[in-house]
Amino acid sequence: MGAYRVAVFASGQGSNFQALADAAAEGRLGGAEIGLLVCDKPAAPVVGRAQATGIECYTFQPKDYAVREDYERELVALLHEKEIDLVVLAGYMRLLSSVMVEAFTGRLINIHPSLLPAFPGKDAIGQALQYGVKLSGVTVHFVDGGMDTGPIIAQRAVPVAEEATQESLTAAIQAEERTLYPEVVSWFAEERVKLEGRKVTVIRR
Ligand code: GRF
């Protein structure tokens, strides 16, 4: 059996992609390798990061397709061809259709910058500040057909200081993301994640 292979989907800066690539290079990803970056914005900074790390990158433009299902069918074929075991969304700013979700059920995860189910969707950090919560954080969850609604795999809390700003809370949350996401991916590579209904169990070593 070959190495456990991960594809990362991203649309923007790629700080999580970088953290995962660094973890793989340093042997902190449970033996997993990042086999592919998929990006829906060819000019996004994350594309340059993939080039710098030598990770294969596939870019496409959703506007070139009539419907989402059309490009997702191509993506599923590509992921199978590249023998991808786990799809990791890291700032991929598009909802997935059932084409992707059903092809990778139980093998498709996302990271979200709040303690779900609080503040799903866009600008979770702004929503949390606006609401005035004292504690926010990071959630890694399975992806289902909804917006940030899938079973929760791991969460880390981040306190919201009284003087917190969008920038300071974003920095604190992203620092937590960069350690949590590689850890969760290593659990998958080590086959330690079990899903029953909505309940996720991580088998201890
Ligand atoms: C992260 O904060 C992640 O939680 C959210 O989008 C952001 C992506 O940041 N889903 P980056 O592109 O990984 O730097």
Side-chain angles (χ1 to χ4, degrees), residues 5-204:
R5 285 172 60 78
V6 173
V8 178
F9 281 36
S11 306
Q13 287 302 319
S15 65
N16 281 290
F17 168 78
Q18 189 71 55
L20 290 161
D22 291 347
E26 291 161 17
R28 291 185 286 108
L29 214 52
E33 61 188 28
I34 313 286
L36 185 67
L37 171 74
V38 172
C39 181
D40 61 321
K41 294 208 174 94
V46 69
V47 174
R49 291 185 192 261
Q51 283 157 356
T53 50
I55 291 172
E56 186 180 345
C57 178
Y58 173 79
T59 61
F60 68 101
Q61 306 227 55
K63 67 174 167 60
D64 294 342
Y65 298 81
V67 291
R68 189 168 46 166
E69 285 77 0
D70 288 347
Y71 64 74
E72 286 193 3
R73 266 186 282 275
E74 289 188 5
L75 292 178
V76 169
L78 176 67
L79 294 166
H80 287 330
E81 181 198 319
K82 300 289 175 189
E83 300 185 323
I84 296 300
D85 297 294
L86 180 71
V87 175
V88 172
L89 307 187
Y92 181 69
M93 301 306 284
R94 291 182 182 277
L95 264 182
L96 297 178
S97 80
S98 59
V99 170
M100 266 297 299
V101 171
E102 283 168 18
F104 280 86
T105 302
R107 302 189 297 139
L108 175 54
I109 65 176
N110 183 41
I111 192 161
H112 183 77
S114 77
L115 291 177
L116 290 171
F119 313 125
K122 287 210 167 118
D123 191 23
I125 293 170
Q127 291 184 56
L129 284 171
Q130 187 73 28
Y131 199 94
V133 293
K134 305 299 185 195
L135 201 57
S136 191
V138 178
T139 303
V140 178
H141 63 92
F142 283 105
V143 176
D144 61 12
M147 174 76 93
D148 303 321
T149 50
I152 290 171
I153 302 162
Q155 293 187 301
R156 293 286 183 275
V158 174
V160 182
E162 274 175 15
E163 63 279 12
T165 60
Q166 182 89 18
E167 291 67 36
S168 69
L169 185 56
T170 299
I173 283 179
Q174 290 192 341
E176 204 61 56
E177 289 184 340
R178 287 193 286 270
T179 56
L180 181 61
Y181 221 3
E183 195 182 340
V184 170
V185 171
S186 78
W187 300 342
F188 276 89
E190 292 164 355
E191 297 186 334
R192 292 165 55 204
V193 183
K194 277 187 38 188
L195 172 64
E196 285 160 293
R198 277 203 67 89
K199 174 125 167 115
V200 177
T201 312
V202 180
I203 299 159
R204 286 180 207 204

